[in-house]
Amino acid sequence: MINMERERKDIKQINAENREKWEKLKFDTQLLRAGEDPYPETSFSIRPPIYASKSYTYSTMTEMMKNHYFYSRTENPTLFALDQKLATLHGGEQAISVASGMAAVHYACSSVVQQRVERLKPKKSKDLYPQSNPEIVPNIIIHTNQYTGSYRLFTRLYPQIGIEARRINMNDLKEVKNAIDENTKLIFIETPSNPTIDVLDIKACADLIHEVGGKCIVDNTWASPALQKPLSLGADLVVESLTKYINGHGDSLGGAIIGSENEIRNIRYFWLELTGAVLSPFNAWLILRGIRTLKMRMDRHSSNAIKIARFLEKHPTVAKVIYPGLEYHPGHEIAKKQMNDFGGMLGFDLKSVEASYKFIELLKLIKVGVSLGDTTSLIEYTSVMTGIDLANWERREMNISGTNFRLSVGLEDPDDLINDLDQALNKL
């Protein structure tokens, strides 16, 4: 008879020994070594290969039980190398990589607000309908200003499955406390927030939701683990869009969720297995390549951004500059407390819509485009690009004005970027 429990413990022991070794390393070394030290899963290669395999075969049942690879929808060695690296960098027990940042947001939140249901008899399925308990409507707490993809998920889709999204100003902790009740399942925090660059207090919000037994989920995309580690501040799950800073080279989509072993296992073997937003091994390999330089890149993004913010705040055609590194930013002190640096994202407003339309056509070096976190600087006219899917009243509530720009500061020489901004502003 096969001792399955012993075989499973062997795999866990290997992972535990690797993790113990990686946790002793400094962050910059973890970027290079965690998940990637030569071990049998990568054929002792210095870099994890691309495992383009749909499934895995074994000579015996005993051999199969020694491994944890069955089908690539849920298990793939290239993806597991990335998962182990992300878990180590964040200080989480486990991580799971998925096809995009929005898939990560959906899986993380759905794993909290909806049940994992197994072996359900058909006649019992009606008990799961939201209308079966019309007096008990679960709710989630979200910030007024956040990435429009997450906002639309919470306000367009979730109500259809019986979940209320309560939008509040999470800068006001009294408002957060008043919004939470016995039916609140989670609080979703994106900080710094996209596109208005609000900075929210992770620890304070996590403490409030934990008082009622709810979960705190943090979208950490704009900071990355190089600048902010939400699990250490009380978050239960962390979401990353790997597409942005973690990959950092503009050539791959991906998302990730980091948290406890039980939470991640539930997401992997229920949500991912059933809905299938699987990251391709090639994209995982690209992200592994990109993440190795994350700390160096984030240092440069941040140092470039503060120089550009200082330039813009002095230019006479600029009405307002929004950057957490500026002392007058409302979230500056919170950012100092929970972040290692202020990041590469900044916003600014010009003085008229007419000037705004003209300005973006005058830029020569800085590229106009959506997304962020690339080596190349990208600028977007916020109301026309990020806010395109929103109604006018929604843009007003999110403080997305017709004169606002969001700048993802790249790795170019900051003087070249400043010169480009200067020549365009001077022609207005």
Side-chain angles (χ1 to χ4, degrees):
M1 183 177 178
I2 298 170
N3 188 341
M4 293 185 177
E5 185 60 29
R6 177 184 175 129
E7 300 301 339
R8 290 195 185 105
K9 285 183 179 179
D10 288 344
I11 290 295
K12 288 183 178 180
Q13 186 63 37
I14 291 170
N15 290 337
E17 289 173 359
N18 281 334
R19 182 61 183 272
E20 184 179 1
K21 174 176 62 178
W22 297 328
E23 286 179 343
K24 294 177 181 178
L25 304 174
K26 301 294 186 183
F27 185 84
D28 285 11
T29 311
Q30 289 176 343
L31 286 169
L32 299 173
R33 304 300 289 272
E36 294 194 60
D37 274 350
Y39 57 100
E41 290 175 326
T42 60
S43 305
F44 298 95
S45 168
I46 192 171
R47 293 288 178 250
I50 301 170
Y51 281 85
S53 177
K54 69 174 179 63
S55 57
Y56 310 88
T57 59
Y58 303 94
S59 301
T60 65
M61 189 73 170
T62 300
E63 184 184 6
M64 184 183 75
M65 296 311 300
K66 286 182 180 179
N67 294 275
H68 50 183
Y69 299 111
F70 297 93
Y71 190 58
S72 278
R73 190 192 308 150
T74 50
E75 302 108 2
N76 179 279
T78 312
L79 272 65
F80 271 11
L82 177 59
D83 294 345
Q84 291 181 78
K85 187 184 294 290
L86 291 168
T88 304
L89 295 174
H90 268 287
E93 291 180 2
Q94 287 191 9
I96 181 171
S97 48
V98 294
S100 69
M102 277 307 303
V105 171
H106 176 44
Y107 287 164
C109 294
S110 294
S111 73
V112 173
V113 299
Q114 295 179 269
Q115 302 176 51
R116 175 175 179 168
V117 180
E118 304 283 4
R119 300 178 179 89
L120 182 72
K121 292 182 178 180
K123 64 181 180 180
K124 293 286 188 180
S125 63
K126 290 185 179 180
D127 295 339
L128 301 177
Y129 295 170
Q131 57 266 39
S132 298
N133 295 291
E135 303 303 318
I136 302 176
V137 178
N139 66 78
I140 65 174
I141 308 297
I142 63 175
H143 185 45
T144 306
N145 306 329
Q146 64 179 278
Y147 172 53
T148 56
S150 304
Y151 166 76
R152 291 165 65 208
L153 173 69
F154 298 143
T155 61
R156 283 13 174 209
L157 179 60
Y158 273 26
Q160 297 184 58
I161 56 176
I163 299 166
E164 176 192 3
R166 296 181 175 176
R167 293 179 64 211
I168 62 168
N169 176 12
M170 289 170 58
N171 290 300
D172 185 343
L173 293 176
K174 290 183 179 178
E175 195 169 338
V176 176
K177 186 176 180 63
N178 291 336
I180 295 172
D181 61 27
E182 65 274 11
N183 294 321
T184 304
K185 300 298 183 182
L186 69 87
I187 187 166
F188 184 85
I189 302 169
E190 179 190 31
T191 182
S193 67
N194 183 4
T196 53
I197 319 180
D198 292 346
V199 176
L200 306 176
D201 191 327
I202 296 172
K203 186 179 186 306
C205 290
D207 288 345
L208 288 172
I209 192 64
H210 290 158
E211 289 178 4
V212 298
K215 298 293 180 70
C216 175
I217 299 178
V218 176
D219 185 337
N220 199 52
T221 297
W222 275 30
S224 85
L227 301 188
Q228 185 170 263
K229 296 187 179 183
L231 294 177
S232 68
L233 298 168
D236 299 287
L237 291 171
V238 177
V239 169
E240 295 275 10
S241 174
L242 304 177
T243 310
K244 312 304 193 299
Y245 286 111
I246 287 179
N247 178 48
H249 291 74
D251 52 14
S252 177
L253 295 178
I257 309 159
I258 305 94
S260 71
E261 180 179 356
N262 287 339
E263 296 275 9
I264 300 304
R265 183 175 180 81
N266 177 46
I267 292 167
R268 184 182 300 280
Y269 293 109
F270 187 73
W271 291 100
L272 180 62
E273 191 168 28
L274 293 186
T275 60
V278 181
L279 182 67
S280 78
F282 179 62
N283 280 7
W285 184 85
L286 287 173
I287 295 165
L288 279 166
R289 180 215 56 189
I291 198 173
R292 297 180 191 117
T293 58
L294 176 65
K295 183 60 167 61
M296 291 185 290
R297 287 187 286 106
M298 293 308 295
D299 288 347
R300 179 61 177 257
H301 285 302
S302 299
S303 64
N304 278 2
I306 188 62
K307 290 178 183 177
I308 291 170
R310 296 293 187 199
F311 160 76
L312 289 171
E313 69 178 347
K314 296 176 182 177
H315 201 284
T317 63
V318 176
K320 179 172 67 173
V321 181
I322 310 160
Y323 182 65
L326 298 174
E327 293 78 7
Y328 51 80
H329 186 285
H332 178 71
E333 291 303 319
I334 296 173
K336 284 172 61 178
K337 180 177 63 175
Q338 68 187 24
M339 299 177 70
N340 297 329
D341 209 334
F342 300 106
M345 299 299 301
L346 63 86
F348 61 95
D349 280 78
L350 300 184
K351 294 183 176 179
S352 71
V353 173
E354 181 182 2
S356 300
Y357 273 103
K358 184 178 180 182
F359 165 74
I360 202 165
E361 299 293 330
L362 293 170
L363 293 168
K364 297 177 180 179
L365 179 65
I366 298 171
K367 302 297 183 183
V368 179
V370 297
S371 199
L372 57 102
D374 205 331
T375 54
T376 300
S377 292
L378 297 170
I379 193 168
E380 66 170 46
Y381 192 178
T382 313
S383 62
V384 177
M385 298 169 73
T386 289
I388 191 65
D389 296 309
L390 303 177
N392 287 335
W393 67 267
E394 290 174 308
R395 286 195 288 269
R396 286 195 297 271
E397 283 194 355
M398 291 186 180
N399 296 317
I400 299 176
S401 71
T403 60
N404 180 257
F405 293 89
R406 189 194 74 181
L407 178 60
S408 172
V409 180
L411 305 182
E412 301 94 341
D413 188 292
D415 291 340
D416 289 330
L417 297 173
I418 289 171
N419 289 339
D420 192 33
L421 290 165
D422 193 36
Q423 64 82 24
L425 292 170
N426 289 338
K427 293 175 183 175
L428 300 179

